[in-house]
Amino acid sequence: MGWWQLNADTLVRSRFVLSPFAETFASLKLLHAGTPAHPGERAWLRDHLPAYRARLAADPTTAQLVRAALGRAWIADFIAPTPKDEETFEEVVARVRSADPAAARAHLTVSLAGPLPPALDRDDLPDRAAALLEHVWTRAVRPYWDRRRRILEADVAARTARVSQGGWAAVLDSLRPGQTRWLGDNRLQVNLGEYPPREISGAELVFMPVTPRTGWVSWEEPDRYALVYACTGALTDPGARRAPAGLGALLGSARAEVLVLLGSPLSTTQLVAVTGQGLGSVGRHLRVLRDAGLVERRRAGRSMLYSRTAAGDVLVDAPL
């Protein structure tokens, strides 16, 4: 397994960061795989996979490049730089485009775990990679970014609240189940690969949610390390937050959906973004659920977060 050694100060200073570039790269990975994890991804692929495949069919060199860069066990470093705080997509993709061609070729030999194919022994690989990422961002991510950003914010709010309730270990274990795990003794497992441990004490450690069901790690040694993870499925997948029929009959389908989502703390704004319901409707649902003792609220910074009570959990789980 791959793991990072970090001291307590590094963990305490770690934080969640949203990145449009990470969201775009995750979307590129989803397009490359072509396999949806839930109905929401299936619908998105139906709308965008044909154009993506047509673009690669018209540009065999870039098609071979992306296959090589998204290796089975390693991603070519130059195509996935670690985003910085508040860095725009355009700023990060400019770093991809300005990568040293010789370094890009060397990175591909690592992701391929073998020699570079003759067709990729060229100097325009960084520009080709940047152009493909721009295509994915412009056509398939930017039109949805405002809503995706609110979903990501909802995930961060829920996990931040969990830190205060159960500590960092519970949160780290849940980021990428089966991949990430707090091992104790200041060790964070980041994947299942047989890689040498890395000492990252004193560096920046950031966690970046994305909506596609994927994840990876990246770094800019020795200063910044990132763990990219898929945000909770109930936020991204409409099917995962569908209320049981009996609960919908009891409360109404819209109100039941809100109650199901509140297994993790969310604000009113985040519920509006995730459900697509109006602000007034969500507010009324929350008021009724609170009056019934199924939902409680508490302040977290400038946000008011709502979550299910024990009675709400019993109702959601009951075989109605």
Side-chain angles (χ1 to χ4, degrees), residues 15-27:
R15 61 196 183 281
F16 291 89
V17 173
L18 305 189
S19 168
F21 179 85
E23 182 72 11
T24 301
F25 191 78
S27 299

Side-chain angles (χ1 to χ4, degrees), residues 229-253:
Y229 68 93
C231 68
T232 180
L235 297 176
T236 59
D237 175 14
R241 60 178 187 261
R242 187 173 295 119
L247 185 64
L250 179 65
L251 299 178
S253 59

Side-chain angles (χ1 to χ4, degrees), residues 128-145:
R128 287 177 175 274
L132 182 62
L133 287 162
E134 288 170 337
H135 170 86
V136 174
W137 165 249
T138 302
R139 302 287 187 87
V141 178
R142 187 169 62 187
Y144 313 100
W145 175 241

Side-chain angles (χ1 to χ4, degrees), residues 36-56:
H38 53 70
E41 288 189 352
R42 184 178 300 114
W44 183 82
L45 284 171
R46 183 188 62 234
D47 292 341
H48 298 289
L49 188 56
Y52 174 79
R53 287 179 170 169
R55 189 186 190 286
L56 292 188

Side-chain angles (χ1 to χ4, degrees), residues 178-220:
Q179 296 274 337
T180 62
R181 187 160 59 98
W182 183 247
L183 300 173
D185 296 325
N186 293 334
R187 295 177 302 154
L188 170 61
Q189 177 182 313
V190 296
N191 56 40
L192 300 179
E194 292 298 327
Y195 304 119
R198 290 177 174 270
E199 172 61 65
I200 71 167
S201 295
E204 286 185 287
L205 174 59
V206 296
F207 306 108
M208 295 183 181
V210 292
T211 61
R213 198 69 60 83
T214 187
W216 65 94
V217 295
S218 67
W219 52 78
E220 292 183 357

Side-chain angles (χ1 to χ4, degrees), residues 67-85:
R67 285 195 299 270
L70 300 180
R72 289 186 178 181
W74 195 269
I75 298 170
D77 290 355
F78 83 96
I79 200 174
T82 305
K84 301 173 183 176
D85 291 20

Side-chain angles (χ1 to χ4, degrees), residues 287-303:
R287 184 167 56 253
V288 170
L289 293 170
R290 283 189 65 221
D291 289 345
L294 302 176
V295 164
E296 61 187 2
R297 68 180 182 181
R298 64 184 182 82
R299 183 166 295 281
R302 291 180 295 177
S303 297

Side-chain angles (χ1 to χ4, degrees), residues 4-285:
W4 294 344
Q5 186 84 33
L6 62 156
N7 59 23
D9 285 344
T10 300
L11 183 57
V12 168
R13 289 187 290 103
S14 63
R15 61 196 183 281
F16 291 89
V17 173
L18 305 189
S19 168
F21 179 85
E23 182 72 11
T24 301
F25 191 78
S27 299
L28 172 64
K29 292 186 69 181
L30 176 55
L31 288 166
H32 179 71
T35 305
H38 53 70
E41 288 189 352
R42 184 178 300 114
W44 183 82
L45 284 171
R46 183 188 62 234
D47 292 341
H48 298 289
L49 188 56
Y52 174 79
R53 287 179 170 169
R55 189 186 190 286
L56 292 188
D59 186 356
T61 300
T62 298
Q64 189 169 5
L65 166 61
V66 73
R67 285 195 299 270
L70 300 180
R72 289 186 178 181
W74 195 269
I75 298 170
D77 290 355
F78 83 96
I79 200 174
T82 305
K84 301 173 183 176
D85 291 20
E86 305 298 330
E87 198 171 25
T88 66
F89 169 83
E90 290 77 14
E91 289 169 336
V92 186
V93 84
R95 292 202 276 137
V96 176
R97 180 168 276 116
S98 64
D100 177 67
R105 292 192 293 270
H107 294 167
L108 288 173
T109 64
V110 176
S111 60
L112 285 166
L116 191 72
L120 296 182
D121 188 11
R122 51 197 298 156
D123 286 345
D124 64 348
L125 299 180
D127 187 65
R128 287 177 175 274
L132 182 62
L133 287 162
E134 288 170 337
H135 170 86
V136 174
W137 165 249
T138 302
R139 302 287 187 87
V141 178
R142 187 169 62 187
Y144 313 100
W145 175 241
D146 284 347
R147 182 175 183 276
R148 289 192 183 192
R149 177 173 48 78
R150 293 187 182 98
I151 289 173
L152 299 174
E153 289 171 345
D155 182 87
V156 169
R159 294 185 193 273
T160 301
R162 192 171 180 183
V163 171
S164 65
Q165 294 168 352
W168 270 108
V171 174
L172 296 173
D173 290 352
S174 70
L175 291 181
R176 298 181 65 197
Q179 296 274 337
T180 62
R181 187 160 59 98
W182 183 247
L183 300 173
D185 296 325
N186 293 334
R187 295 177 302 154
L188 170 61
Q189 177 182 313
V190 296
N191 56 40
L192 300 179
E194 292 298 327
Y195 304 119
R198 290 177 174 270
E199 172 61 65
I200 71 167
S201 295
E204 286 185 287
L205 174 59
V206 296
F207 306 108
M208 295 183 181
V210 292
T211 61
R213 198 69 60 83
T214 187
W216 65 94
V217 295
S218 67
W219 52 78
E220 292 183 357
E221 294 182 304
D223 299 322
R224 188 174 177 85
Y225 291 78
L227 195 158
V228 183
Y229 68 93
C231 68
T232 180
L235 297 176
T236 59
D237 175 14
R241 60 178 187 261
R242 187 173 295 119
L247 185 64
L250 179 65
L251 299 178
S253 59
R255 187 167 297 153
E257 181 185 10
V258 170
L259 185 62
V260 168
L261 277 169
L262 290 177
S264 296
L266 297 173
S267 70
T268 304
T269 301
Q270 290 159 349
L271 284 166
V272 168
V274 174
T275 63
Q277 300 178 37
L279 179 61
S281 296
V282 169
R284 285 191 295 274
H285 296 326

